[in-house]
Every structure is written in structure tokens, then in C-alpha cells.
Amino acid sequence: MEIHDVVIIGTGPAGLTAAIYAARASLNPVIYAGSMHGGQLTTTTEIENFPGFEHGIMGPKLMSDMTAQAERFGTKIIYETITKIDASKRPFKLWTHDTEFQAQTVIIATGATAKTLGLPDEAKLMGRGLSTCATCDGFFYKNKIVAVTGGGDSAMEEANYLSKLASKVYLIHRRPEFRASKIMVDRVKANPKIQMMIPYAVERALSDQSGVNGLMLKNLESNKVEELKVDGLFMAIGHKPNSDIFLPWVDVDSHGYIKTTNHTATKTPGLFAAGDIGDPNFKQAITAAGMGCQAAMQAQKYLEGHS
Ligand SMILES: Cc1cc2nc3c(=O)[nH]c(=O)nc-3n(C[C@H](O)[C@H](O)[C@H](O)COP(=O)(O)OP(=O)(O)OC[C@H]3O[C@@H](n4cnc5c(N)ncnc54)[C@H](O)[C@@H]3O)c2cc1C
């Protein structure tokens, strides 16, 4: 059975950056793409904060260029999903639905999927008024009216962040109680640009050719449905890190993010984690790429010491 030096799981910015570094270090990396080759950025339009692109770049184009760059140095891309890993001893064993293979080191770059509300036409309106990331998309709503839905710290953070750009922010939440810390809720309540809408649930987004132009909200006390004029809705209801299959071999925090020490090392020597999967805080393409670089260099160092 073939034993690879470096197997990378996930082809988002973290995985592909790890592949570029590992390939240029002659480690012949093999990278598994899973169900979303290119990762989360393939679901969005313009990326304006990835350095090097003065006028921005479309998410899918950035990811196809990263793929081509990784392939140019000899990365082998396999368009399959890893279903299981046994990291009890080296070489590690890995499985897809019909193949078993081995690896001396593994870089987990499986990302964290933003949870969404499952609204009608949601997929069609993502990037056209619906978003899951204020840092990424807030700039497009300068002086516009937006809504944020959620009741945790990240919803409060997104509302505050957006209030510096948008002309008005509605914070929509289903219950009078919040999961967010009191200090974050108090900050939102004190912000004159933010109006709380409680207890409301978003039923659907209204749109025209240019994207979202309103929301239908249900008042959960009266059951009445009301229209709210907004230019965008930010869904801040949490992320699901794709860490389930690694659980026996890594420590995770209470949300499932992989805990690392010394940059990208997990509790299992030779098993590294990079990108959103190990980052509950920043979740940006540039930070994911940076962690991918670190993981590849740490895998290389590990292999040198354990040949
Ligand atoms: C709509 C949207 C807009 C965004 N806009 C911006 C922006 O403007 N700027 C910015 O910096 N960031 C932006 N982000 C955030 C950015 O996309 C993420 O921070 C970044 O993609 C994280 O990269 P990653 O490599 O860690 O994981 P991801 O991009 O999530 O990639 C994960 C990869 O792992 C694969 N995978 C998962 N499980 C398995 C498995 N079992 N086997 C094999 N493969 C697997 C997936 O198929 C995918 O290829 C945006 C995110 C979204 C959702």
C-alpha cells in the first residue's frame, strides 16, 4: 500500500497553501477536496481583502488560481472525501468510501461551515444580500440598512461591526434572552444605530434583480408577519467545524474547533490542523492560508525528525 509523506484534507485556502509549501519542499503532497473543492470562497463573489489584488478578485477565481499554483509544483488533487482516519500509530491509515491508504503526516484543513437559516432561495441570494460574514461583506453595505440575526456573541459582534458602516442595523432574535455575554448585549443596546427586533424570526428574504431588498418577519408573540425594508441580512447563528471524523485523535473546544499548540500541532504527533477548523476567532482566507503555510513547514520538520 502506498505511504504518502503528506496528506492534506481540504482544498480551501489553508489546504491549498499547505500544498504549495509541501510541494515546493519536494514532499509530493496529496490533497483531498471533499464535497466543496476550493472551500467556502467558491460560494461568494468579490474578495476585496485578500492581499495582492488591488481591485479585488472573485472567490472562485482566487481558488482556481490557488489550485493551479499547487498543481504546478506537483500536488496531486483527489476529488474525494476522507471518511475515516486511524492515527493510533504511524503511518496513519485513511479511508475514502472505497480506498484505504497511509500517510506519515496529515494536515487537517476541513474548515468550518457557517450555519444558515435555510430560507427559501437562500443559495441563490448568498452574496446578493445574504451573508454569513460581516468582516467579509460589511463593506458592501456602507450607508445601507442591514439586519443581523442571532443571539450569541458573534451576532452582537457582527451588529456592532456593521453599525460602523451601515446607516442602520436591525438585530433580529427569536427570544428575549441572549446566549451572548451581558457586556456584548449591553453594548448593542447602547448603540444608537442598532434596533433590536425581539421576538422575531426571519421567514424569507424579499428580492429583485439586484438582490435582497427586504425581509418577511414573524412576530413570535402575535404570530403576525411583517415586512422589514433592508438591503442585506447577516446570519450569525454559528459555525459547524468539520472535525467529527478526527475526534479520537484531536482535542476540540466546546464548539468542535480543533485545539492546537505550537501553531498547528494537534495532540497527535504528525497530525496538524490549519485554517478555520482550528480557528474560532478570525475565520478569514488570509489567516487560513497563513496557518496552511505553518502546517506544511511543521509537517516537513516533523518528517525530518522521524524519517
Ligand atoms: C460567503 C462567504 C464569504 C466570505 N468572504 C470572505 C472574504 O471576503 N475574505 C476572507 O478573507 N474570508 C472570507 N470568507 C471566509 C473564508 O472563506 C474562510 O475563512 C476560508 O475559506 C477558510 O479556509 P479553510 O481552508 O480553513 O476552509 P474552507 O474554505 O472551509 O475549506 C474546507 C475544505 O475542506 C474540504 N473538506 C471538508 N471535509 C472534508 C473531508 N472529510 N474530506 C475531504 N475534504 C473535506 C471541503 O470540501 C473544502 O474543500 C467568506 C466565507 C463565506 C462563507
Side-chain angles (χ1 to χ4, degrees):
M1 190 184 303
E2 196 174 357
I3 306 178
H4 303 292
D5 276 336
V6 181
V7 164
I8 301 163
I9 310 176
T11 53
L16 287 170
T17 305
I20 292 165
Y21 275 77
R24 294 188 75 253
S26 301
L27 296 174
N28 305 315
V30 175
I31 185 166
Y32 282 78
S35 59
M36 196 191 270
H37 173 53
Q40 295 170 58
L41 287 187
T42 59
T43 67
T44 190
T45 50
E46 191 94 34
I47 310 295
E48 291 192 327
N49 55 9
F50 199 88
F53 303 97
E54 184 186 356
H55 301 291
I57 181 167
M58 298 303 272
K61 167 81 173 129
L62 178 62
M63 297 320 296
S64 67
D65 286 358
M66 267 193 218
T67 302
Q69 192 179 357
E71 282 181 317
R72 183 161 84 84
F73 297 112
T75 302
K76 188 171 168 195
I77 302 184
I78 298 180
Y79 294 89
E80 285 188 44
T81 296
I82 299 297
T83 53
K84 192 174 144 194
I85 170 169
D86 177 355
S88 55
K89 61 177 195 304
R90 282 181 57 240
F92 303 144
K93 287 184 188 161
L94 295 101
W95 288 264
T96 64
H97 75 287
D98 62 355
T99 331
E100 179 183 338
F101 60 95
Q102 297 188 348
Q104 296 292 4
T105 63
V106 169
I107 297 173
I108 305 167
T110 48
T113 311
K115 293 180 193 164
T116 61
L117 295 169
L119 301 173
D121 288 336
E122 193 175 84
K124 206 175 86 190
L125 294 172
M126 282 308 269
R128 298 179 55 238
L130 295 185
S131 174
T132 53
C133 176
T135 314
C136 313
D137 297 333
F139 190 77
F140 301 116
Y141 296 89
K142 242 179 171 174
N143 301 321
K144 294 191 172 175
I145 303 172
V146 296
V148 175
T149 182
D153 276 339
S154 52
M156 303 304 133
E157 238 172 69
E158 305 254 295
N160 267 321
Y161 178 85
L162 288 165
S163 73
K164 296 182 188 117
L165 299 161
S167 58
K168 182 170 183 75
V169 180
Y170 293 100
L171 182 83
I172 303 166
H173 184 45
R174 303 176 65 92
R175 285 176 289 277
E177 316 81 48
F178 291 93
R179 262 182 303 109
S181 53
K182 185 174 176 310
I183 185 166
M184 294 292 288
V185 177
D186 288 348
R187 204 172 291 162
V188 164
K189 282 182 176 162
N191 188 324
K193 273 182 148 185
I194 304 176
Q195 181 179 335
M196 297 265 195
M197 301 283 293
I198 300 167
Y200 279 89
V202 181
E203 296 257 287
R204 67 191 169 93
L206 306 171
S207 61
D208 59 19
Q209 296 94 317
S210 54
V212 169
N213 58 13
L215 298 173
M216 293 309 289
L217 303 181
K218 186 174 189 179
N219 181 320
L220 297 175
E221 245 162 34
S222 65
N223 278 335
K224 277 200 186 127
V225 176
E226 301 169 23
E227 185 178 333
L228 183 70
K229 282 265 160 237
V230 295
D231 301 298
L233 171 68
F234 289 79
M235 295 175 271
I237 53 174
H239 284 75
K240 163 96 181 75
N242 302 313
S243 58
D244 291 355
I245 60 167
F246 308 104
L247 288 183
W249 321 113
V250 298
D251 286 332
V252 293
D253 72 9
S254 58
H255 298 284
Y257 288 95
I258 295 177
K259 288 186 187 173
T260 54
T261 51
N262 183 21
H263 306 295
T264 65
T266 69
K267 74 169 180 189
T268 301
L271 186 59
F272 302 90
D276 284 10
I277 187 67
D279 176 12
N281 298 309
F282 302 108
K283 296 199 277 277
Q284 291 292 289
I286 188 67
T287 47
M291 291 164 85
C293 157
Q294 291 174 331
M297 293 178 76
Q298 288 188 279
Q300 181 187 4
K301 202 158 198 171
Y302 180 84
L303 286 166
E304 282 163 9
H306 296 83
S307 51

